[in-house]
């Protein structure tokens, strides 16, 4: 309450250090370079329960490392935990203090990943996305969903850390994020800001969260991306998926056409401008997997359009390709005609 003075008692800050300034009063030394969304279907085998696509995840780590550190110098592995029953691999720790890698590392990225085959099954079977924590099934599903998605988050953080990327996991639920009627109600980004200022790469993910109206729901990675874009205004946003971009119909259809460029108008409507033969607003047929509780590609396009309205270009392309590497490096516009993906931008 305003005007209420704290009661006397032990000093809550005995070291005398000032509390951190609100996010809105702090700024990064350089603008946030990029927010990356790792699609669940790209980094997991979506139809195999809790199965990681190791090849794609490895490719993401390598390409992100290359985008952060163009030089060929190898990063120092940061996963010093025991795994798969093997001895702990500490690498040559003695050389860490002598390494010049940290000084040349541009870690000014934020990564948000989807759940894929992690979490969606548990959430859909228990109805977590619909709310109602009074139900034992929903409460159990909430716990099960978070166990699943946080295990994927840890696997991704470890993979990035093994490649020398200073990744730190930040589950939205644990950071105090919440919703109201599935819209973000509270999203404290101070920890993200502090981590970026300290040189870390925050790794967030879609999560089960508390909802002030429904008790609980699923906060999708696409919604998180949009909120972070509004807050940090990165130079560009990338969606890495299991297909080359947005198509006019399901990509499995042999007649599907890749939509190379979509322009978003001030009123939120969008028009396909490349290829020219598709001059129709919202002429895209959308399919969503039955177990997907986050809206699939339709939600992705809607959130991307909101981001584009902010004047931030959005690139959607296939993970593990030369096109994803160009996007990560911010080189899409150098030779746009030979880049395979979808650009979503403002008409301004």
């Amino acid at each position: 309450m305003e005007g209420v003075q704290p009661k006397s008692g032990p000093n809550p800050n005995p070291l005398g250090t000032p509390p951190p300034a609100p996010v809105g009063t702090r700024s990064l030394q350089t603008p946030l370079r990029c927010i990356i969304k790792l699609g669940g279907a790209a980094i997991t085998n979506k139809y195999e329960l809790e199965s990681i696509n190791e090849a794609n995840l490895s490719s993401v780590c390598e390409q992100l490392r290359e985008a952060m550190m163009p030089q060929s110098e190898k990063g120092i592995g940061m996963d010093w935990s025991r795994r798969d029953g093997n001895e702990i691999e500490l690498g040559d720790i003695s050389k860490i203090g002598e390494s010049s890698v940290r000084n040349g590392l541009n870690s000014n990225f934020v990564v948000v990943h989807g759940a894929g085959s992690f979490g969606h099954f548990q959430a859909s079977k228990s109805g977590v996305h619909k709310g109602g924590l009074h139900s034992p099934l929903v409460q159990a599903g909430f716990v099960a969903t978070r166990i699943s998605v946080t295990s994927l988050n840890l696997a991704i953080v470890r993979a990035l850390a093994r490649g020398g990327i200073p990744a730190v996991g930040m589950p939205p639920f644990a950071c105090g994020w919440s919703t109201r009627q599935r819209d973000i109600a509270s999203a404290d980004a101070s920890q993200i800001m502090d981590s970026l200022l300290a040189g870390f790469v925050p790794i967030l993910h879609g999560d089960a969260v508390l909802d002030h109206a429904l008790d609980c729901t699923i906060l999708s990675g696409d919604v998180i991306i949009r909120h972070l874009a509004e807050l940090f205004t990165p130079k560009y946003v990338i969606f890495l998926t299991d297909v080359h971009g947005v198509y006019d119909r399901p990509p499995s259809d042999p007649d599907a056409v890749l939509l190379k460029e979509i322009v978003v108008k001030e009123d939120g409507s969008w028009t396909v401008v490349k290829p020219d033969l598709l001059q129709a607003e919202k002429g895209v047929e959308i399919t969503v997997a039955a177990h997907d509780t986050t809206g699939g590609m339709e939600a992705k396009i809607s959130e991307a359009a909101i981001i584009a309205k902010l004047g931030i270009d959005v690139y959607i392309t296939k993970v593990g390709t030369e096109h994803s590497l160009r996007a990560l490096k911010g080189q899409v516009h150098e030779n746009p005609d030979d880049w395979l993906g979808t650009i979503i931008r403002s008409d301004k």
Side-chain angles (χ1 to χ4, degrees):
M1 295 174 60
E2 294 186 13
V4 176
Q5 298 296 319
K7 296 179 180 179
S8 60
N11 183 359
N13 191 12
L15 297 180
T17 56
V23 172
T25 65
R26 290 176 285 165
S27 62
L28 299 172
Q29 294 178 351
T30 58
L32 184 64
R33 181 172 170 186
C34 176
I35 300 177
I36 304 158
K37 168 65 189 300
L38 301 180
I43 55 173
T44 73
N45 300 306
K46 197 161 186 178
Y47 298 103
E48 297 179 26
L49 183 61
E50 297 189 344
S51 172
I52 295 175
N53 187 321
E54 298 289 354
N56 280 355
L57 180 56
S58 176
S59 176
V60 166
C61 296
E62 291 175 5
Q63 290 191 350
L64 185 54
R65 176 72 202 181
E66 184 174 342
M68 290 175 149
M69 185 77 178
Q71 297 85 351
S72 60
E73 188 172 359
K74 185 178 180 181
I76 297 169
M78 301 180 189
D79 181 7
W80 301 348
S81 55
R82 188 172 182 176
R83 58 182 183 274
D84 301 328
N86 298 324
E87 294 299 316
I88 298 176
E89 299 178 7
L90 298 183
D92 195 354
I93 298 178
S94 62
K95 295 182 179 179
I96 290 180
E98 304 170 4
S99 174
S100 63
V101 171
R102 177 66 190 91
N103 293 331
L105 188 71
N106 181 354
S107 56
N108 206 10
F109 290 77
V110 173
V111 177
V112 181
H113 66 81
S117 61
F118 290 72
H120 284 299
F121 171 80
Q122 292 86 347
S124 63
K125 287 296 182 182
S126 58
V128 170
H129 56 298
K130 299 177 182 178
L133 280 175
H134 59 277
S135 164
L137 176 61
V138 174
Q139 185 183 56
F142 188 97
V143 173
T145 299
R146 296 215 65 255
I147 289 173
S148 186
V149 295
T150 53
S151 68
L152 175 60
N153 181 252
L154 177 59
I156 292 171
V157 168
R158 293 182 71 173
L160 291 167
R162 286 194 292 272
I165 297 173
V168 287
M170 292 189 177
F173 175 83
C175 291
W177 289 42
S178 63
T179 58
R180 183 182 298 277
Q181 291 289 357
R182 301 188 179 90
D183 291 328
I184 291 179
S186 174
D188 183 1
S190 60
Q191 192 173 1
I192 299 173
M193 174 67 82
D194 290 342
S195 297
L196 287 167
L197 290 170
F200 292 110
V201 179
I203 314 295
L204 291 80
H205 59 87
D207 204 357
V209 298
L210 299 179
D211 186 285
H212 299 295
L214 305 172
D215 291 341
C216 65
T217 193
I218 299 297
L219 176 61
S220 78
D222 296 330
V223 173
I224 294 171
I225 285 266
R226 183 248 298 167
H227 182 77
L228 294 179
E230 292 172 342
L231 188 63
F232 290 104
T233 57
K235 294 180 179 179
Y236 50 94
V237 170
I238 302 171
F239 287 80
L240 297 180
T241 72
D242 59 336
V243 293
H244 282 293
V246 180
Y247 290 79
D248 66 333
R249 65 197 71 190
S252 56
D253 188 322
D255 295 323
V257 176
L258 177 65
L259 310 182
K260 295 277 290 180
E261 188 169 354
I262 296 173
V263 169
V264 181
K265 300 178 181 179
E266 184 64 30
D267 62 3
S269 63
W270 48 270
T271 302
V272 176
V273 296
K274 290 184 181 178
D276 292 335
L277 60 113
L278 293 171
Q279 289 288 355
E281 294 188 2
K282 300 187 178 181
V284 181
E285 181 183 339
I286 302 295
T287 58
V288 180
H291 61 273
D292 194 335
T293 58
T294 59
M297 183 59 78
E298 184 174 15
K300 195 181 308 296
I301 296 173
S302 297
E303 298 298 339
I306 295 173
I307 295 170
K309 280 184 62 181
L310 301 173
I312 302 168
D313 284 355
V314 177
Y315 309 136
I316 303 177
T317 193
K318 188 172 183 178
V319 68
T321 63
E322 61 177 293
H323 311 287
S324 59
L325 180 58
R326 281 181 58 185
L328 289 168
K329 290 183 174 182
Q331 298 174 350
V332 171
H333 291 288
E334 292 183 6
N335 292 290
D337 291 339
D338 64 2
W339 183 74
L340 204 56
T342 300
I343 299 173
I344 302 179
R345 63 174 178 81
S346 170
D347 65 349
K348 295 181 179 178

